[in-house]
């Protein structure tokens, strides 16, 4: 089936990975490397991070729950200290690739796991017009935020929701995400999934699939 749509994650795709910020924080605080990722990977469907991204708890509860979960792993970290680490530096070439895909006639969508009180691309006009999001979010034909949809990646339902919004079949889609766990269900539905490990790699892979050349 011919490709009709390109669907993108936001953080770690259009911006540098928050994992880099996590590792800097851990190094600065004398914490084990990848501790924050380990907390997020423990009980991944029902931990503080999952509940917050589905908007089932507020920021105060996330703060205390994340502290409990990290303490259980031997290194207490407040959730409130983790949230500011989510923002990354914008990747201009990725933004230009998005524009090129749209100009070539591909439908473009964004599926983002986020939290309602921080870093929410469509939360309100003020946030949409702030920083990197102001440059990227208006370009999409459709946006799904986990904090508003009440479902988060890697739940297959969120990918199907985007297909419905774009009026395409999964087999006609490319999906880009920096997490393999989020690429797997997309591929399982028939999408061509690209795990983003870097800007150049992602654009090379996307170029081969959609037949465009990205500068």
């Amino acid at each position: 089936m011919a490709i009709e749509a390109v669907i993108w994650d936001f953080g770690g795709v259009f911006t540098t990975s928050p994992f880099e910020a996590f590792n800097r924080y851990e190094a600065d605080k004398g914490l084990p490397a990848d501790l924050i990722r380990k907390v997020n990977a423990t009980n991944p469907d029902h931990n503080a991070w999952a509940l917050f991204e589905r908007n089932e708890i507020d920021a105060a509860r996330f703060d205390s729950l994340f502290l409990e979960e990290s303490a259980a792993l031997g290194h207490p970290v407040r959730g409130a200290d983790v949230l500011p680490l989510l923002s990354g530096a914008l990747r201009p070439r990725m933004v230009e690739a998005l524009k090129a895909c749209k100009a070539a006639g591909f439908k473009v969508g964004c599926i983002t796991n986020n939290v309602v009180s921080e870093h929410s691309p469509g939360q309100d006009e003020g946030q949409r017009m702030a920083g990197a999001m102001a440059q990227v979010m208006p370009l999409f034909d459709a946006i799904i935020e986990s904090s508003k949809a009440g479902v988060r990646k890697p739940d297959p339902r969120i990918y199907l929701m985007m297909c419905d919004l774009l009026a395409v079949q999964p087999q006609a889609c490319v999906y880009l995400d920096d997490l393999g766990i989020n690429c797997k269900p997309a591929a399982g539905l028939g999408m061509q999934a690209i795990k983003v490990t870097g800007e150049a790699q992602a654009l090379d892979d996307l170029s081969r699939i959609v037949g465009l050349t990205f500068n």
Side-chain angles (χ1 to χ4, degrees), residues 13 23 25 31 77 123 149 182:
V13 175
N23 287 154
Y25 175 88
L31 298 167
V77 176
Q123 167 98 5
N182 292 339

Side-chain angles (χ1 to χ4, degrees), residues 12 21 48 57 64 105 109-110 114 125 127 129 131-132 149 176 193-194 207:
I57 57 174
S64 60
C110 179
N114 67 350
E125 187 66 22
Q127 287 187 333
M129 299 309 293
L176 298 92
I194 297 173
S207 177

